[in-house]
Amino acid sequence: MGAAGIIFSNVHETALSELTRGRTMASVPFAGRYRLIDFALSNLVNSGVSTVGIITKRNYQSLMDHVGSGKDWDLSRKNGGLIIFPPFGQEANDSLYVSRLAGLKGIMSFLAKAKADQFILMDSNFACNIDLSKVVAFHEEKKADVTIVYKEGCVEKNMQHNMSLTVDDTGRITDASVMSVASKCLKYSTNIWVINKSLLYELVSGAIAVNQTSFERDLILANVHSLGMYGYLFDGSYFHFASMKEYFENNMKVLDPKVREELFKQKGRLIYTKVRDSAPTKYGQNAKVINSFIADGCIIEGRVENSILFRGVKVDKNTVVRNSILMQDTITGENVTLDHVITDKNVVIRDRNHLSGAKSHPFFISKGIMI
Amino acid sequence: MQKHFRFCKTSMYSKKKAIAMLLAGGQGSRLYALTNKIAKPGVSFGAKYRIIDFTLSNCINSNIDTVGVLTQYQPLFLNDYIGNGQPWDLDRLFGGVHILPPYQAKDKTDWYKGTANAIFQNIGFIENYNCDYVVILSGDHIYKMDYSDMIEYHISKKADCTIAVIEVPIKEASRFGIMNTDEHDRIVDFEEKPKKPKSNKASMGIYVFSTKMLFQYLRSDDEDPSSSNDFGKNIIPSMLKNGCVMIAYPFRGYWKDVGTLESLWEANMDLIGDNPVFDIMDSNWKISSRNFGDYPQFIGQNAEIKNSLITGGVEVEGTVINSLISSGVKIAKGAFVKDSVIFSDCEIMENAKVEYSIIDENVRVSENSVVGASKETAKNITLIGRGVFLMEDSKVEPGAIIEKDIIKGGC
């Protein structure tokens, strides 16, 4: 029967508060033409998953606009397909839930009825290209109750949203803890979990009964020893977004051919996104572009270096854009210079402005601002 | 007279005012190797489009949501490309895009013998939508046109048939079907490729017919064994002869028949430049195409790009000047591409040089090869056919058409 997907769209948004002011973590733009959820959706679809539920909480208009009926990911289906779960007011005071677990409580009927053997649950604050069918095969081979996809490496303090794991030779997770310490080298969860369908339903029902609130603490950590919990090592590129600095660095990493290879050039594992019918990008007579990642629909008359340009960006004459990320429909006038700048959608920078930020603190300009 | 069956379920839907019939069955033999495997409307254009995208996008932008695409020559690609019509918003509950190949019938089985016969064989399809007007289009022109304006013109003139015309330079007029009109745009005379043209109003091959009149003439045309079943040669002249109201609809704007390598190349070049002759960035008249999950283009450290149109999945490390580059193309370090049109998934390897050429899909131009010569010195466009492999140091003479791999020596 295969697996069904569940994506948490509003996780850890404070990490990118500037970018999530008017959107979900899942709809944060990345790498020239994508939103973070494109990676989660594409990974699921490319692994044969055809039912995906997206749990939302707030600010999800941009997400709904982006995913639409799901057709751009081949998820517009008669059976299953893409299902958006708006907040479900089951609490007495009708307040919005605060955790993944509360989100799952709101979709109990989906957990019960989805035609699937397992659920693949994932956060939306990362980008990677992973063959999840291998994870599910591993899960089945180990007869696991829960499989957690993990990475091995040295992490910084800002990975505090991911658990650290102890995994034995057979792949069994023998211990886990919520990561709170600074920089160290370890095995850490990617926040992709595979859980058997009936088990997830039982765990969530049980948690409701005793008023538990945390998915990681009450469902995963509490059951490390009582359930068959396994770790699947993912050795590909994994981009985690825990700060604006990381957001900037992760975008710049796509300028590395190895990263592009891993993220975008896996046979049969393309990353899909909303189709906008942009025209091809037009380079003018005096354009000079080096080491940049550029989406369709741009018009470039000036100079662009080490930058990421989203769809529909205009760089006018005698303008220099360096080390910057210009999101959809950003328009720069003439004689502008930008260095270490991130512009959100629809920003207009008029003639003769010179803006720059620092590598560790890129200068961020909010959606729709005109300078 | 043959009586046509109307499908009862669809008759429960409201009727359509107008539907379009798009002739896409021609081979386009003057595009040589480009149409060996696919029909002309399927040929790549403008870095991310296919020729047929323009007509399909015109339909949806003109609020025509029902399009029959008549295929015959090499239909496989078009079937696949058009699919359910979703990229053009033509996947509809009632209507949408339909591929109409020739078919076997109980009493008669035939290929499409001519443009008129192709429509005649699909009268059943048209009847199904109970439409008042039928727009006949061909799938091999590059232009933006609001067909709904033309239909309104047709209605206001109480016409039986309206033909879109464009003014061409008089010295080129003998290449076209020329309409001679009176002061009210009524066509008084039609000449196919006249030696001494009397006007410069050239037919664009776009017709609006009142459905009843169309059916009447298609049926009588079918009964005439001497007819070549062609709109230009038979239907239009016989309607004129019988005094039908035939109106010329003047179109002012960009229009190009891309039937030859030269015109295909020119039409591509019309998209670039400071003030392109044809504006493809126009957000009020978007041209849609089928997408294949391409990631953004990567422009490398040593790249040099001037006056070009480049789309997703392309990686440029070399030089690109005055060129159009389709998805998935690699242009390696030291490679030089000028005045050329390169279709998807080609590789131009290190220090290869491509000038004044059209290169079809999946071609590999290996290291140090030279294809064509500068536009100033070459007489003709060089064409490399689909999937051709050119080994290192190959040399392709300007104007050559290469359909087979070059694995040793020059050409």
Side-chain angles (χ1 to χ4, degrees):
Chain A
M1 209 166 8
I6 295 175
I7 299 172
F8 300 102
S9 67
N10 292 90
V11 284
H12 318 310
E13 286 174 344
T14 48
L16 299 180
S17 55
E18 293 97 326
L19 287 166
T20 55
R21 199 168 292 149
R23 56 168 77 89
T24 61
M25 180 56 99
S27 44
V28 164
F30 175 61
R33 73 188 294 248
Y34 304 96
R35 304 297 183 116
L36 290 182
I37 198 168
D38 293 338
F39 294 86
L41 288 174
S42 302
N43 282 329
L44 287 165
V45 167
N46 291 337
S47 309
V49 173
S50 59
T51 301
V52 180
I54 302 176
I55 297 181
T56 63
K57 184 166 76 181
R58 58 183 200 94
N59 282 349
Y60 53 89
Q61 284 174 6
S62 69
L63 179 67
M64 291 184 71
D65 174 56
H66 181 70
V67 297
S69 65
K71 66 178 183 230
D72 289 327
W73 298 265
D74 206 15
L75 282 173
S76 175
R77 298 296 181 88
K78 204 161 201 172
N79 296 308
L82 186 83
I83 307 153
I84 293 184
F85 295 112
F88 188 80
Q90 85 274 35
E91 310 287 338
N93 58 2
D94 255 0
S95 63
L96 286 180
Y97 49 80
V98 292
S99 67
R100 297 189 193 91
L101 180 55
L104 290 171
K105 284 179 192 170
I107 61 163
M108 289 303 281
S109 65
F110 175 71
L111 298 185
K113 283 183 194 155
K115 289 190 183 119
D117 297 320
Q118 305 92 7
F119 284 110
I120 302 174
L121 297 95
M122 55 213 297
D123 282 352
S124 49
N125 62 336
F126 60 84
C128 66
N129 191 331
I130 179 172
D131 187 348
L132 293 167
S133 64
K134 283 190 183 153
V135 182
V136 172
F138 171 88
H139 178 84
E140 285 174 344
E141 185 203 312
K142 295 285 181 188
K143 297 193 169 53
D145 294 315
V146 178
T147 297
I148 302 179
V149 179
Y150 71 93
K151 275 199 73 68
E152 205 165 8
C154 301
V155 300
E156 288 173 37
K157 195 163 81 184
N158 54 26
M159 292 285 286
Q160 61 191 321
H161 297 300
N162 301 47
M163 287 194 304
S164 68
L165 308 171
T166 311
V167 185
D168 73 12
D169 293 344
T170 65
R172 176 116 195 197
I173 296 172
T174 53
D175 203 5
S177 65
V178 173
M179 215 191 293
S180 55
V181 282
S183 251
K184 64 174 187 180
C185 296
L186 40 71
K187 297 183 169 99
Y188 59 93
S189 164
T190 59
N191 291 0
I192 301 173
W193 304 273
V194 178
I195 305 182
N196 287 337
K197 181 188 157 188
S198 52
L199 176 67
L200 182 65
Y201 186 84
E202 275 169 40
L203 289 174
V204 175
S205 320
I208 292 173
V210 295
N211 208 18
Q212 286 169 334
T213 54
S214 166
F215 173 78
E216 276 184 313
R217 190 187 62 219
D218 300 325
L219 260 54
I220 304 293
L221 274 183
N223 291 309
V224 163
H225 302 293
S226 57
L227 291 174
M229 228 174 258
Y230 284 82
Y232 176 93
L233 176 67
F234 172 59
D235 53 11
S237 289
Y238 173 78
F239 297 107
H240 181 262
F241 297 84
S243 66
M244 280 307 267
K245 177 171 170 274
E246 271 193 318
Y247 177 80
F248 183 77
E249 287 168 0
N250 286 341
N251 269 285
M252 291 304 162
K253 278 180 192 155
V254 299
L255 298 176
D256 177 348
K258 264 192 255 146
V259 168
R260 284 201 304 281
E261 189 82 36
E262 276 195 51
L263 271 187
F264 302 117
K265 299 189 205 173
Q266 301 296 318
K267 256 218 163 84
R269 301 208 325 257
L270 298 175
I271 305 299
Y272 299 96
T273 188
K274 182 185 178 186
V275 171
R276 210 175 89 124
D277 285 334
S278 308
T281 282
K282 194 178 152 205
Y283 295 82
Q285 301 282 4
N286 301 306
K288 174 73 192 166
V289 180
I290 55 172
N291 195 38
S292 293
F293 204 49
I294 295 171
D296 269 352
C298 297
I299 300 177
I300 303 172
E301 304 278 0
R303 190 178 176 93
V304 179
E305 290 173 28
N306 311 326
S307 294
I308 314 292
L309 268 48
F310 283 70
R311 290 181 276 197
V313 168
K314 290 191 179 66
V315 177
D316 218 331
K317 293 184 187 82
N318 298 317
T319 284
V320 181
V321 176
R322 279 197 189 94
N323 310 311
S324 293
I325 301 166
L326 308 186
M327 288 184 206
Q328 202 166 297
D329 298 324
T330 293
I331 295 174
T332 72
E334 295 181 16
N335 298 298
V336 168
T337 54
L338 302 179
D339 192 8
H340 289 98
V341 170
I342 301 176
T343 62
D344 205 325
K345 280 173 70 176
N346 297 313
V347 165
V348 178
I349 298 164
R350 284 188 287 205
D351 297 355
R352 294 179 298 281
N353 271 299
H354 305 286
L355 306 172
S356 75
K359 202 173 173 194
S360 56
H361 285 88
F363 182 41
F364 177 78
I365 304 168
S366 307
K367 191 171 169 180
I369 296 276
M370 188 182 280
I371 294 183
Chain B
M1 193 184 291
Q2 198 180 346
K3 193 158 170 60
H4 283 275
F5 169 71
R6 188 157 181 244
F7 306 97
C8 55
K9 273 293 172 198
T10 54
S11 68
M12 296 301 290
Y13 287 99
S14 59
K15 56 185 279 172
K16 299 280 182 192
K17 183 178 176 186
I19 73 166
M21 298 295 274
L22 204 167
L23 298 157
Q27 178 184 353
S29 56
R30 285 171 304 154
L31 290 178
Y32 304 99
L34 293 179
T35 53
N36 282 353
K37 287 280 160 61
I38 60 178
K40 182 156 72 165
V43 169
S44 292
F45 181 80
K48 77 178 279 189
Y49 306 97
R50 302 283 170 166
I51 294 170
I52 199 171
D53 286 334
F54 291 80
T55 325
L56 288 175
S57 300
N58 284 341
C59 284
I60 198 69
N61 290 338
S62 306
N63 285 322
I64 293 175
D65 63 6
T66 307
V67 184
V69 178
L70 298 118
T71 59
Q72 178 155 289
Y73 175 81
Q74 288 284 12
L76 184 62
F77 173 79
L78 280 178
N79 289 342
D80 206 37
Y81 186 73
I82 294 170
N84 70 347
Q86 183 264 319
W88 304 270
D89 209 9
L90 286 170
D91 51 333
R92 297 301 172 106
L93 201 54
F94 176 53
V97 70
H98 297 255
I99 302 271
L100 303 170
Y103 57 90
Q104 228 174 15
K106 194 167 179 189
D107 46 357
K108 217 175 184 184
T109 295
D110 238 325
W111 291 101
Y112 294 152
K113 284 174 285 183
T115 50
N117 179 256
I119 305 297
F120 171 78
Q121 291 201 40
N122 288 289
I123 282 181
F125 173 80
I126 301 170
E127 279 185 323
N128 204 27
Y129 295 99
N130 192 20
C131 57
D132 297 328
Y133 308 101
V134 179
V135 186
I136 309 282
L137 303 165
S138 51
D140 46 11
H141 297 151
I142 303 295
Y143 64 114
K144 293 186 275 193
M145 178 173 177
D146 193 336
Y147 304 133
S148 64
D149 287 349
M150 184 172 167
I151 294 167
E152 289 311 314
Y153 196 75
H154 176 89
I155 295 169
S156 72
K157 293 277 185 181
K158 299 192 171 57
D160 297 314
C161 171
T162 300
I163 301 172
V165 296
I166 187 161
E167 293 189 6
V168 294
I170 193 86
K171 63 179 194 305
E172 285 177 34
S174 51
R175 285 172 39 217
F176 296 91
I178 295 296
M179 304 289 163
N180 302 315
T181 56
D182 68 13
E183 66 273 29
H184 304 293
D185 287 333
R186 185 153 174 180
I187 299 166
V188 292
D189 186 24
F190 167 70
E191 295 172 288
E192 183 70 40
K193 296 183 180 145
K195 288 220 172 66
K196 283 184 185 150
K198 285 179 228 147
S199 97
N200 64 343
K201 288 179 183 159
S203 165
M204 297 163 67
I206 299 166
Y207 310 102
V208 173
F209 284 95
S210 296
T211 309
K212 265 189 203 153
M213 200 56 89
L214 174 68
F215 285 1
Q216 184 190 322
Y217 276 88
L218 286 177
R219 283 173 178 142
S220 63
D221 176 69
D222 184 58
E223 283 159 12
D224 175 5
S226 67
S227 171
S228 50
N229 309 112
D230 184 87
F231 277 101
K233 289 192 192 108
N234 309 103
I235 302 285
I236 304 302
S238 99
M239 285 179 84
L240 264 177
K241 203 174 73 189
N242 293 344
C244 290
V245 183
M246 313 280 285
I247 298 295
Y249 172 75
F251 174 76
R252 287 174 196 90
Y254 182 88
W255 176 82
K256 194 135 194 161
D257 179 338
V258 285
T260 62
L261 289 180
E262 287 71 26
S263 62
L264 180 68
W265 183 89
E266 279 168 21
N268 270 289
M269 294 298 151
D270 286 342
L271 306 179
I272 56 179
D274 281 341
N275 293 299
V277 190
F278 186 68
D279 178 16
I280 204 150
M281 315 294 284
D282 182 0
S283 57
N284 295 318
W285 200 270
K286 271 196 178 177
I287 308 299
S288 303
S289 62
R290 188 172 283 279
N291 278 259
F292 296 95
D294 289 313
Y295 53 94
Q297 53 203 279
F298 175 74
I299 311 301
Q301 287 288 358
N302 305 298
E304 191 74 44
I305 305 175
K306 303 271 180 247
N307 191 36
S308 293
L309 215 51
I310 302 182
T311 192
V314 173
E315 307 230 344
V316 182
E317 294 283 357
T319 302
V320 178
I321 302 169
N322 307 338
S323 294
L324 294 97
I325 315 291
S326 297
S327 71
V329 171
K330 306 275 169 292
I331 295 174
K333 205 167 149 184
F336 179 87
V337 176
K338 193 178 175 193
D339 300 318
S340 294
V341 181
I342 300 188
F343 293 177
S344 52
D345 301 319
C346 289
E347 284 180 281
I348 314 296
M349 307 301 285
E350 284 182 23
N351 302 318
K353 196 169 181 185
V354 176
E355 283 189 273
Y356 196 41
S357 298
I358 297 177
I359 298 193
D360 204 345
E361 292 165 44
N362 271 306
V363 167
R364 184 180 167 120
V365 179
S366 300
E367 290 82 352
N368 305 313
S369 295
V370 178
V371 175
S374 79
K375 193 170 149 258
E376 290 70 33
T377 61
K379 271 206 197 93
N380 292 307
I381 295 166
T382 310
L383 172 64
I384 311 287
R386 175 181 299 256
V388 165
F389 173 86
L390 302 181
M391 70 172 293
E392 294 87 340
D393 306 307
S394 300
K395 182 153 172 41
V396 177
E397 292 300 328
I401 294 175
I402 306 294
E403 298 181 52
K404 290 202 178 89
D405 294 353
I406 298 180
I407 38 182
K408 54 178 189 280
C411 168

